[in-house]
Amino acid sequence: ADMAFVQVQIYQYHFADPEADGIWSLVREAQRTLHEHIDNMDTVAVTNAILADGIHLNAESHEILGRNAAESMYRMCFDPYGMTSTPAPQLDTIYPVYQATDFGLTLAVKYKNLNGRLISEGRPTGYAFSMCNDKLDRRHIFRVDLHNDTAYIRHEIPWEHLKNGYLFYLFGNNSYANITDEDGRPIPAMGPIPLREYLK
């Protein structure tokens, strides 16, 4: 029961039936939240990895994964006070921003355990809203802005409708996501997250 354990979120299977996308997301979400029920464990994401074939990561992505998993294990085994290491990035909270200075509405997604700020190669992407918990029903997001530890999702869904929907990051097997911290550690795949838990 005291043994430290690091798991890796499943990534994508290029040839999977699209009908299975919701199941893949549910497994990732269960992995993401498992640390809430099991002590001495951490979950490492590979949401920005590159595939070598239809399902396996390429060599460069494996090297990055190995480094990130090693930091998580080191943190649990040898650095209990976090002097030189941090756990893998995790979701902190989600909240609406009512005083945005641009068009549309803004949902903020804040993270913790970051090494530096959130960054992306090119335009930040990977988030999706849906009114269904097992598939994406349409596009709703027109922009994502990153600032320090928070991703600001710009959309045009009225709050009274959005609170009945779900948030995803890296949905299914045909999504692209590219957000990491400054040390190259990806943020985790997540969803379906019921937004009614955050939009009271």
Side-chain angles (χ1 to χ4, degrees):
D2 295 332
M3 183 174 67
F5 182 80
V6 175
Q7 68 169 341
V8 181
Q9 273 187 316
I10 61 171
Y11 186 44
Q12 294 179 327
Y13 177 37
H14 182 73
F15 303 109
D17 187 330
E19 293 297 319
D21 282 350
I23 297 170
W24 282 70
S25 290
L26 284 172
V27 172
R28 292 188 196 114
E29 180 65 5
Q31 289 182 291
R32 183 186 72 83
T33 58
L34 200 58
H35 72 276
E36 299 172 4
H37 310 285
I38 299 177
D39 294 330
N40 299 318
M41 78 157 300
D42 201 6
T43 303
V44 177
V46 289
T47 47
N48 68 334
I50 299 170
L51 291 176
D53 56 19
I55 192 168
H56 299 99
L57 307 185
N58 72 358
E60 180 183 1
S61 294
H62 270 293
E63 289 181 8
I64 295 169
L65 167 59
R67 183 197 69 198
N68 294 340
E71 179 171 3
S72 290
M73 184 63 76
Y74 182 86
R75 169 72 173 81
M76 288 187 289
C77 294
F78 304 109
D79 190 20
Y81 301 106
M83 301 299 290
T84 60
S85 62
T86 56
Q90 295 174 357
L91 174 66
D92 187 1
T93 190
I94 300 169
Y95 60 93
V97 178
Y98 294 113
Q99 299 298 323
T101 58
D102 203 346
F103 296 104
L105 303 172
T106 304
L107 186 73
V109 183
K110 183 180 179 183
Y111 293 87
K112 58 185 178 181
N113 304 335
L114 300 178
N115 290 340
R117 60 189 174 88
L118 293 174
I119 61 172
S120 66
E121 290 189 13
R123 184 180 67 171
T125 191
Y127 292 102
F129 292 134
S130 182
M131 297 300 113
C132 306
N133 67 357
D134 61 348
K135 63 181 179 179
L136 301 184
D137 49 12
R138 55 176 290 224
R139 298 178 203 165
H140 300 287
I141 297 169
F142 63 83
R143 194 173 88 221
V144 175
D145 299 323
L146 305 178
H147 184 69
N148 293 331
D149 60 359
T150 303
Y152 294 95
I153 301 173
R154 306 306 301 270
H155 64 93
E156 294 185 347
I157 308 173
W159 294 118
E160 60 269 23
H161 297 312
L162 190 61
K163 70 181 181 181
N164 295 317
Y166 300 87
L167 175 66
F168 292 90
Y169 182 76
L170 192 78
F171 174 81
N173 288 290
N174 194 32
S175 297
Y176 174 73
N178 66 352
I179 302 174
T180 70
D181 65 15
E182 287 185 284
D183 205 25
R185 302 186 313 158
I187 60 174
M190 59 185 187
I193 295 180
L195 290 173
R196 62 181 174 272
E197 296 179 4
Y198 298 93
L199 304 178
K200 303 297 185 182

